[in-house]
Amino acid sequence: DGGITQSPKYLFRKEGQNVTLSCEQNLNHDAMYWYRQDPGQGLRLIYYSQIVNDFQKGDIAEGYSVSREKKESFPLTVTSAQKNPTAFYLCATKGQGETQYFGPGTRLLVL
Amino acid sequence: GEDVEQSLFLSVREGDSSVINCTYTDSSSTYLYWYKQEPGAGLQLLTYIFSNMDMKQDQRLTVLLNKKDKHLSLRIADTQTGDSAIYFCAEIDDYKLSFGAGTTVTVRA
């Protein structure tokens, strides 16, 4: 992590509620990513942004939304349309090279 | 199904070497990565190898790449209890990383 912060560490969602996960970076990286991790599986890409004010859907974007108004910030909203939101959510950034660096993660639980 | 495959579990005795294997499918991947995840934490970049290399060594870590067979391995020498974690192999696929399911390494005394 180092330079990438995610908050909160744990988040609880009630039925029908939208919740927003924060990802902030001070690495001056242009690209940012959101991945979802389920037990026993690799990470799957939700959304990514290669530059401010631009973002694209990943492999599992349904039920999620993002914004990229600032270079430092890439918040992820889990909407009520996401029927199985319980997972560990990881934010990553990428600078000039190809390597992605990950934040510490947010664990989302459904009440 | 996943494009990157790994064995799910590895048990190793402290002080022995660990070898974690991975197969991938995208022959155009420029970089291949190994990440480590400790319980409840994010992914920590361990090492990576450029696709025109066969081997890369970094202290206790040795990465071997066989492009013909699309096979990647990570060897950890003198495995310690702090090496107990999940290890992910990943290939770069244009704009995203494609991950294997992860290999859980357990180090026993």
Side-chain angles (χ1 to χ4, degrees):
Chain A
D1 40 24
I4 304 170
T5 57
Q6 291 187 241
S7 62
K9 188 173 172 69
Y10 296 95
L11 185 57
F12 297 91
R13 194 190 92 163
K14 295 179 183 177
E15 195 77 30
Q17 187 182 38
N18 292 355
V19 292
T20 297
L21 285 64
S22 169
C23 178
E24 303 278 331
Q25 55 112 350
N26 62 5
L27 302 171
N28 201 35
H29 286 174
D30 284 318
M32 297 185 74
Y33 305 79
W34 274 106
Y35 291 89
R36 170 181 170 140
Q37 184 180 21
D38 293 283
Q41 298 187 35
L43 281 67
R44 293 181 290 167
L45 183 66
I46 305 172
Y47 267 98
Y48 68 103
S49 167
Q50 293 184 310
I51 199 165
V52 175
N53 293 321
D54 186 56
F55 51 83
Q56 281 79 40
K57 293 181 179 180
D59 298 322
I60 55 165
E62 186 174 349
Y64 300 97
S65 66
V66 293
S67 62
R68 187 83 188 279
E69 296 175 3
K70 298 187 301 181
K71 189 175 187 178
E72 301 79 19
S73 178
F74 190 39
L76 173 74
T77 296
V78 183
T79 75
S80 57
Q82 173 49 246
K83 297 306 179 189
N84 184 24
T86 298
F88 192 48
Y89 290 86
L90 288 156
C91 175
T93 71
K94 182 172 77 73
Q96 291 299 315
E98 295 295 331
T99 302
Q100 293 184 24
Y101 298 91
F102 286 81
T106 292
R107 187 164 299 280
L108 177 60
L109 300 163
V110 177
L111 293 176
Chain B
E2 289 171 332
D3 296 330
V4 180
E5 293 189 352
Q6 305 176 235
S7 53
L8 293 182
F9 300 99
L10 176 66
S11 178
V12 62
R13 194 161 43 196
E14 189 175 7
D16 287 351
S17 292
S18 309
V19 179
I20 307 167
N21 294 300
C22 168
T23 57
Y24 62 97
T25 57
D26 188 354
S27 58
S28 66
S29 292
T30 51
Y31 289 92
L32 293 134
Y33 297 88
W34 285 103
Y35 286 90
K36 176 184 180 183
Q37 185 179 38
E38 297 182 2
L43 270 65
Q44 171 195 349
L45 177 68
L46 272 183
T47 187
Y48 62 91
I49 188 167
F50 190 52
S51 59
N52 69 353
M53 299 170 66
D54 298 324
M55 185 182 86
K56 179 180 180 182
Q57 189 152 359
D58 183 2
Q59 298 181 356
R60 291 192 297 124
L61 305 178
T62 303
V63 179
L64 296 177
L65 175 59
N66 180 331
K67 285 193 72 175
K68 175 176 169 289
D69 295 336
K70 297 193 183 75
H71 183 266
L72 182 73
S73 68
L74 174 69
R75 178 177 179 269
I76 305 172
D78 187 25
T79 309
Q80 303 297 309
T81 54
D83 295 323
S84 292
I86 303 175
Y87 292 80
F88 290 95
C89 165
E91 61 176 347
I92 194 80
D93 176 14
D94 193 15
Y95 55 86
K96 70 172 186 177
L97 287 171
S98 291
F99 287 87
T103 300
T104 299
V105 173
T106 302
V107 181
R108 60 187 193 276

